[in-house]
Amino acid sequence: MVFNYPDGRSFQNAPTPKDNQVTKEKQISQQSTSKRKTTETQPFTTTKGSASTVNFGNRGMRFEEAINESNTYYLTHKMAVVHKKPTPIQIVKVDYPRRSAAMIKEAYFKEASTTDYNGVYQGRYLDFEAKETKNKASFPFKNFHAHQITHMKACLEQGGLCFVLLWFSSLERCFFLDSRTLIAHWDQQKANGKKSLPLTTIEVEGIEITRKIAPRIPYLEAVDHYLKKEAL
Amino acid sequence: MVFNYPDGRSFQNAPTPKDNQVTKEKQISQQSTSKRKTTETQPFTTTKGSASTVNFGNRGMRFEEAINESNTYYLTHKMAVVHKKPTPIQIVKVDYPRRSAAMIKEAYFKEASTTDYNGVYQGRYLDFEAKETKNKASFPFKNFHAHQITHMKACLEQGGLCFVLLWFSSLERCFFLDSRTLIAHWDQQKANGKKSLPLTTIEVEGIEITRKIAPRIPYLEAVDHYLKKEAL
């Protein structure tokens, strides 16, 4: 599998700092959203030259990386404060090889009950999820989980500004779609049996985001556009 | 060390689900904020009868638990959507004993770059940190980290409503203190050499929160009170 950055450059393998400790266990290096530098060359998963080596957390990561960098840009430029939430983990065993460094020896991934991103933009509460598909004609509903929809509904009820960022990796096209519109289509699933949202619908009801150098995914422009549209 | 719940009940040791797998490694069980039931009897750390057994994440946890339950109450009653962010973890090794269950075999705690709690309340972005002290006369500034102060400043600049919840465990008193006031005192540290914020100051400049049955920490009442005060 070859992964491309949203700007089209292909993903380069690179060793992790712990490369000399590679065991038969699959290895994954997950870096901090907040601490990650805004360099575009820093990978955060290694495939070790084998397609089977990493099978968690890789899908969609290049898009996520671009959003994280955009968030750093917005933070640095005092335009918004948006962070990706850490992955929720159920910790079972912790070892203390040194006084200062606790090492987690057994833990499990948990399902998040919220969306991945939230923050504040000009007094408004922002809440969004970033999703990716290789499809070319539609966005599968299965990319969204019921609890994320529930969370978005709750945030909307409290007056939050909720949306999703949709990345069509094969087309290299990115869309903003407000959650109210998404939820309306999601709720129709059972009735009409559709399992995905057609690109043609997203083109009409969403807002396409043209990628830039910095921020790479200028989603706040789409937010502004959406707010203006809502105000009319 | 004895831990008390904010409501004064003392913390009871209780086995974790993995109790039969206890090794010499120190064990910690961290439960999901979101999935945790709103029962008051569910502990989420075990001390295994020894004061030295658990030395991570225990301090302040009873207070955190009360806040998490309050958040669940507010969510359920459609009053606000506030979640505690998961603890950020640096994952190094992941094993796949079964296809469906990835087991993290090596990971480390990372320092968070934001506060622990955020969410939306009546259209407003809420952002806060919960801190606890055993002191009786003042709240030590060392409980706050520079990056949390930086984060709160950034959120305030974006029009967010930022505050801290301070729990004096020995006194069993809880206070709301808005971040602007906290930061003003924090910034004076270097000038006046004070290492803590006197309780007498907090009594005047903060808002005391009287604990209830549900929600246990009714901090939204303090938020309302603060907003009214600000509007005058």
Side-chain angles (χ1 to χ4, degrees), chain A residues 5 7 9 37-43 65 69 213 216:
Chain A
Y5 288 96
D7 61 3
R9 291 178 298 112
K37 294 292 194 328
T38 52
T39 56
E40 294 190 66
T41 51
Q42 191 178 32
E65 177 69 9
E69 289 180 15
I213 301 292
R216 285 168 66 187

Side-chain angles (χ1 to χ4, degrees), chain B residues 23-231:
Chain B
T23 67
K24 285 185 180 175
E25 296 163 325
K26 281 139 191 162
Q27 195 174 60
I28 196 168
S29 170
Q30 200 182 57
Q31 294 194 1
S32 158
T33 298
S34 49
K35 290 186 178 175
R36 202 178 303 143
K37 296 293 197 323
T38 52
T39 56
E40 295 190 68
T41 51
Q42 191 177 35
F44 58 113
T45 52
T46 58
T47 58
K48 307 301 298 166
S50 157
S52 66
T53 312
V54 171
N55 63 15
F56 173 83
N58 217 336
R59 206 164 149 261
M61 280 303 202
R62 301 278 76 73
F63 182 47
E64 241 184 58
E65 177 69 9
I67 293 169
N68 292 340
E69 287 179 17
S70 304
N71 288 339
T72 302
Y73 178 93
Y74 286 139
L75 182 66
T76 310
H77 290 75
K78 296 183 184 292
M79 293 170 73
V81 181
V82 177
H83 289 278
K84 183 175 189 296
K85 292 185 184 177
T87 307
I89 305 276
Q90 171 80 36
I91 298 165
V92 176
K93 273 187 216 162
V94 180
D95 195 8
Y96 295 82
R98 293 190 306 278
R99 275 193 67 179
S100 58
M103 187 201 279
I104 297 161
K105 298 286 282 182
E106 185 185 346
Y108 301 90
F109 294 103
K110 289 190 301 190
E111 200 170 62
S113 56
T114 66
T115 46
D116 272 354
Y117 298 88
N118 74 357
V120 58
Y121 169 56
Q122 296 181 355
R124 288 174 186 276
Y125 173 79
L126 291 194
D127 195 297
F128 64 95
E129 187 67 29
K131 297 288 189 186
E132 180 171 353
T133 187
K134 288 179 183 167
N135 287 12
K136 293 179 180 180
S138 67
F139 209 95
F141 283 125
K142 71 170 196 288
N143 285 21
F144 301 99
H145 304 294
H147 61 263
Q148 292 173 332
I149 299 290
T150 304
H151 173 73
M152 288 191 280
K153 283 179 180 175
C155 288
L156 284 170
E157 278 181 31
Q158 281 300 320
L161 203 162
C162 307
F163 57 93
V164 289
L165 297 178
L166 306 176
W167 171 243
F168 286 87
S169 57
S170 305
L171 307 174
E172 299 197 357
R173 293 180 70 183
C174 180
F175 291 90
F176 165 104
L177 187 68
D178 73 281
S179 294
R180 237 179 270 279
T181 303
L182 173 72
I183 291 166
H185 289 289
W186 166 279
D187 285 344
Q188 284 168 19
Q189 264 187 99
K190 285 175 193 165
N192 63 19
K194 284 192 182 172
K195 292 189 172 173
S196 64
L197 194 58
L199 174 59
T200 48
T201 305
I202 296 168
E203 284 175 330
V204 173
E205 301 182 9
I207 298 165
E208 185 154 8
I209 299 173
T210 309
R211 287 165 296 138
K212 297 200 298 193
I213 302 291
R216 284 168 65 186
I217 313 281
Y219 65 83
L220 286 183
E221 293 175 15
V223 167
D224 288 339
H225 189 81
Y226 172 74
L227 289 171
K228 269 183 202 162
K229 211 171 63 174
E230 284 294 286

Side-chain angles (χ1 to χ4, degrees), chain A residues 63 66-75 79-84 117-121 126-128 130 161 163-166 174-177 207-212 215-226:
Chain A
F63 182 47
I67 293 168
N68 292 340
E69 289 180 15
S70 304
N71 288 339
T72 303
Y73 178 94
Y74 286 139
L75 182 66
M79 293 170 73
V81 182
V82 177
H83 289 278
K84 183 177 188 297
Y117 297 89
N118 74 355
V120 57
Y121 169 54
L126 291 194
D127 195 297
F128 65 95
L161 203 162
F163 55 93
V164 290
L165 296 177
L166 306 176
C174 181
F175 291 89
F176 165 104
L177 186 68
I207 299 167
E208 184 153 9
I209 299 173
T210 309
R211 286 165 295 138
K212 296 200 298 192
R216 285 168 66 187
I217 313 282
Y219 66 83
L220 286 183
E221 293 174 14
V223 168
D224 288 339
H225 190 81
Y226 172 73

Side-chain angles (χ1 to χ4, degrees), chain A:
Chain A
M1 256 194 284
V2 175
F3 293 91
N4 289 320
Y5 288 96
D7 61 3
R9 291 178 298 112
S10 66
F11 171 63
Q12 301 288 321
N13 288 350
T16 63
K18 294 266 174 183
D19 225 18
N20 55 341
Q21 294 180 20
V22 171
T23 67
K24 284 183 180 175
E25 297 164 324
K26 279 139 192 164
Q27 195 173 64
I28 197 169
S29 170
Q30 200 182 55
Q31 295 191 359
S32 159
T33 299
S34 49
K35 290 186 178 172
R36 202 180 300 141
K37 294 292 194 328
T38 52
T39 56
E40 294 190 66
T41 51
Q42 191 178 32
F44 58 113
T45 52
T46 59
T47 59
K48 308 299 301 168
S50 155
S52 67
T53 312
V54 172
N55 64 15
F56 173 82
N58 216 338
R59 206 164 149 261
M61 280 301 203
R62 301 279 75 71
F63 182 47
E64 239 184 59
E65 177 69 9
I67 293 168
N68 292 340
E69 289 180 15
S70 304
N71 288 339
T72 303
Y73 178 94
Y74 286 139
L75 182 66
T76 310
H77 290 75
K78 297 181 183 295
M79 293 170 73
V81 182
V82 177
H83 289 278
K84 183 177 188 297
K85 291 184 186 177
T87 306
I89 306 275
Q90 171 81 37
I91 297 166
V92 176
K93 273 187 215 164
V94 181
D95 196 7
Y96 295 82
R98 292 189 309 278
R99 274 193 68 176
S100 58
M103 187 201 278
I104 297 160
K105 299 285 283 182
E106 185 184 345
Y108 300 90
F109 293 104
K110 288 191 301 189
E111 200 170 62
S113 56
T114 66
T115 47
D116 272 354
Y117 297 89
N118 74 355
V120 57
Y121 169 54
Q122 296 181 354
R124 285 175 188 279
Y125 174 79
L126 291 194
D127 195 297
F128 65 95
E129 187 67 29
K131 297 288 189 185
E132 181 171 353
T133 187
K134 287 178 183 166
N135 287 12
K136 293 178 180 179
S138 66
F139 209 96
F141 282 124
K142 73 173 194 289
N143 284 21
F144 301 98
H145 305 294
H147 61 265
Q148 292 172 332
I149 300 289
T150 303
H151 173 74
M152 288 191 281
K153 283 179 180 175
C155 289
L156 284 171
E157 277 181 32
Q158 281 298 322
L161 203 162
C162 306
F163 55 93
V164 290
L165 296 177
L166 306 176
W167 172 241
F168 286 87
S169 58
S170 305
L171 307 173
E172 299 198 357
R173 293 179 72 183
C174 181
F175 291 89
F176 165 104
L177 186 68
D178 73 280
S179 295
R180 237 179 269 279
T181 303
L182 173 72
I183 290 166
H185 289 289
W186 167 279
D187 285 344
Q188 285 168 20
Q189 264 186 99
K190 285 176 193 165
N192 64 19
K194 283 191 183 175
K195 292 191 172 175
S196 63
L197 194 58
L199 174 59
T200 49
T201 304
I202 296 169
E203 283 174 331
V204 173
E205 300 182 9
I207 299 167
E208 184 153 9
I209 299 173
T210 309
R211 286 165 295 138
K212 296 200 298 192
I213 301 292
R216 285 168 66 187
I217 313 282
Y219 66 83
L220 286 183
E221 293 174 14
V223 168
D224 288 339
H225 190 81
Y226 172 73
L227 289 172
K228 269 182 202 161
K229 213 170 60 175
E230 284 295 285
L232 293 178

